[in-house]
Amino acid sequence: MLTFFISHVTLNIMFGEFNLIEKYFVGRQSRRKDVLLAAGDDCALLKVPEGMSLAVSTDTLVAGTHFLKEANPAWVAHKALAANISDLAAMGATPAWVSLALTLPKPNESWLAPFCNSFFKLADYFDIHLIGGDTTKGPLSLTLTVQGFVDAEKALRRDGARVGDWIYVTGELGDSQAGLDVILNKELRNKPFAEQLEQAHYLSTPRVLAGQALLGIASSAIDISDGLAADLKHILRCSDVGAHLELSELPVSSQLIQFIGSVDKAQQYALTSGEEYELCFTVPEQYKGAIDAALAHCGCQVSCIGQIRPKGQFLLSNKGQPLDWPQQGFDHFQ
Ligand code: ADP
Ligand code: MG
C-alpha cells in the first residue's frame, strides 16, 4: 500500500511538472460525433451506431520483447497502433476509438514528441479517436485497446472455413522477418534493401479496407502476427478442417528476394514470418470470382495460396513436391 502511495506521488510530481498528458495526449484530434466525452475526464462517453456490435481488441508491446529500447519512437508508435488496428481489420470492423496505457521510465519529451506525432498521424489516417488511457512510471511498455464497429452477423471470424474453400493472403510476406533479422544482426546491414526491410518491420499498413471489402465474401479471416503457417493453423483448429498450401504461390517482394538471394528461400521466409499484419482469409468457391472486383479499391494485391482440406490434413508442397509443415511460429525478440 505504502509502495503504491510513494510511487504515485513520485509519478504526479514527475508528470505534473511537464503536464505531459495535457500537452501530448488531450485535445490533439478533432472529435468524432460518436465521442461524447474524450480523454480528460474520469471516463470517456461513447456511442455505438444502431444495429452494430462493438469489436474490441487489446495488445501490449514491451521494450526488449516487441521492440528494442533504442528503437525510433515514431516507428514504435506506428507499430503499436498498426498491430492493434490489424486485429479490427481481420474481423472486417471499421476502426473508431483507441485507448493507450503508457508506462515510461521517465518523462522524456524527446521520446514522447515523435511518438505522439506518429501515433496521431496513423490514428487520424484511419479516423480513430484517442478516447483515454493511463500514464505510469516503470519499464517502457504500451498497451492499446482499439474498438471498432461491425455487423456481428457478418464479422470475419476464425471458425467459418469449410472444406473446398480457397485460401488467400493480402500483400507480400516475409519482409517483416527479414527486417527483424537486420535489427538484431548489424552485419546484415550491408545486404541489398536492408534499410527498407528494417522499416517494413515497423511500418506496416493494416488492411482495414480489405477486411471491410471481404464482409459477405470471406468465410474466415485472421491477421498474420505469428507467421502464416501458425496463424492459418488457428483458422484450421477453430473451423475443424485441414489445408493444402502451395509454397511457390506465396507472394514475396523483389527486395526480399534480393536480400535473401533466391525466390525459394524468400518463400520459405514468407511461411513463418511474423508481425506481417497482412490478412489470411478463406473464400468459398462461389465467391472466388468476386474477389478481384471487391478488393480493387483496397490498394493491395491478393494471392490464392492453397485450399481447405478435411480435418487432419496439413499438406505443404513446393511446385507439387511435398514438404514438412513448419512446427514453429514467430517468437518476437527472444
Ligand atoms: P485517473 O486518475 O482518473 O485514472 P488520470 O490522471 O490517469 O486519471 O488521467 C486523466 C485523464 O487523462 C483521463 O481522462 C485519462 O483517460 C487521460 N489519459 C491519461 N493518460 C493518457 C494517455 N497516455 N493517453 C490518452 N489519455 C490519457
Ligand atoms: Mg489513471
Side-chain angles (χ1 to χ4, degrees):
M1 203 59 184
L2 186 61
T3 322
F4 170 77
F5 178 70
I6 290 169
S7 68
H8 216 80
V9 169
T10 318
L11 190 74
N12 280 344
I13 294 167
M14 280 177 68
F15 289 153
E17 194 179 330
F18 296 97
N19 209 356
L20 286 187
I21 297 174
E22 284 285 319
K23 180 169 174 184
Y24 286 105
F25 295 108
V26 178
R28 296 263 316 237
Q29 295 174 290
S30 53
R31 184 165 307 172
R32 289 171 58 104
K33 283 206 190 80
D34 50 22
V35 178
L36 309 177
L37 190 60
D41 211 310
D42 292 317
C43 289
L45 297 176
L46 309 163
K47 218 171 148 46
V48 180
E50 280 292 315
M52 299 297 259
S53 290
L54 199 57
V56 183
S57 176
T58 297
D59 261 318
T60 295
L61 273 79
V62 178
T65 302
H66 302 90
F67 62 92
L68 298 179
K69 282 192 186 81
E70 58 277 15
N72 180 338
W75 292 3
V76 171
H78 185 108
K79 179 172 166 158
L81 185 53
N84 274 258
I85 297 172
S86 177
D87 284 319
L88 291 177
M91 297 299 286
T94 302
W97 312 314
V98 64
S99 49
L100 167 65
L102 187 59
T103 305
L104 293 170
K106 55 184 187 314
N108 180 350
E109 294 202 72
S110 64
W111 191 90
L112 265 173
F115 176 89
C116 287
N117 289 341
S118 168
F119 184 92
F120 285 111
K121 189 172 165 203
L122 186 62
D124 286 344
Y125 180 81
F126 284 107
D127 195 20
I128 297 175
H129 201 102
L130 180 67
I131 45 108
D134 203 16
T135 310
T136 54
K137 184 175 185 284
L140 181 59
S141 84
L142 330 158
T143 297
L144 278 76
T145 299
V146 282
Q147 307 187 347
F149 310 135
V150 70
D151 178 343
E153 299 283 305
K154 291 192 189 148
L156 307 174
R157 299 161 50 136
R158 297 179 180 185
D159 58 4
R162 298 291 173 262
V163 174
D165 288 359
W166 297 96
I167 305 168
Y168 284 82
V169 287
T170 59
E172 293 165 329
L173 302 178
D175 285 9
S176 177
Q177 178 72 51
L180 182 56
D181 290 351
V182 175
I183 292 165
L184 296 178
N185 182 356
K186 291 197 170 71
E187 284 172 20
L188 297 175
R189 299 226 162 125
N190 302 325
K191 287 198 155 201
F193 297 105
E195 210 174 303
Q196 287 89 333
L197 291 165
E198 184 182 350
Q199 280 204 27
H201 176 79
Y202 283 104
L203 305 179
S204 64
T205 305
R207 298 302 188 187
V208 170
L209 283 180
Q212 291 166 343
L214 289 170
L215 291 169
I217 292 179
S219 51
S220 71
I222 192 167
D223 67 321
I224 301 174
S225 52
D226 296 335
L228 172 65
D231 286 319
L232 177 61
K233 272 222 160 167
H234 293 313
I235 287 185
L236 304 183
R237 198 188 57 246
C238 293
S239 303
D240 219 14
V241 291
H244 170 215
L245 273 194
E246 172 51 44
L247 194 73
S248 63
E249 299 293 344
L250 297 193
V252 288
S253 69
S254 59
Q255 53 189 28
L256 181 64
I257 296 168
Q258 291 182 60
F259 177 83
I260 292 212
S262 80
V263 178
D264 238 37
K265 280 191 196 154
Q267 286 173 325
Q268 287 283 352
Y269 244 61
L271 192 60
T272 51
S273 172
E275 303 193 333
E276 293 286 345
Y277 305 119
E278 296 293 348
L279 300 183
C280 173
F281 57 95
T282 58
V283 177
E285 173 73 27
Q286 79 253 38
Y287 295 130
K288 205 174 178 221
I291 292 181
D292 285 344
L295 296 185
H297 68 291
C298 298
C300 65
Q301 68 179 65
V302 285
S303 311
C304 184
I305 58 167
Q307 195 172 23
I308 296 295
R309 292 286 182 93
K311 185 178 179 178
Q313 292 187 21
F314 301 111
L315 308 175
L316 181 65
S317 59
N318 192 6
K319 302 182 194 98
Q321 296 297 315
L323 297 175
D324 286 335
W325 189 283
Q327 293 304 312
Q328 280 175 341
F330 179 69
D331 198 13
H332 298 300
F333 283 111
Q334 35 216 325

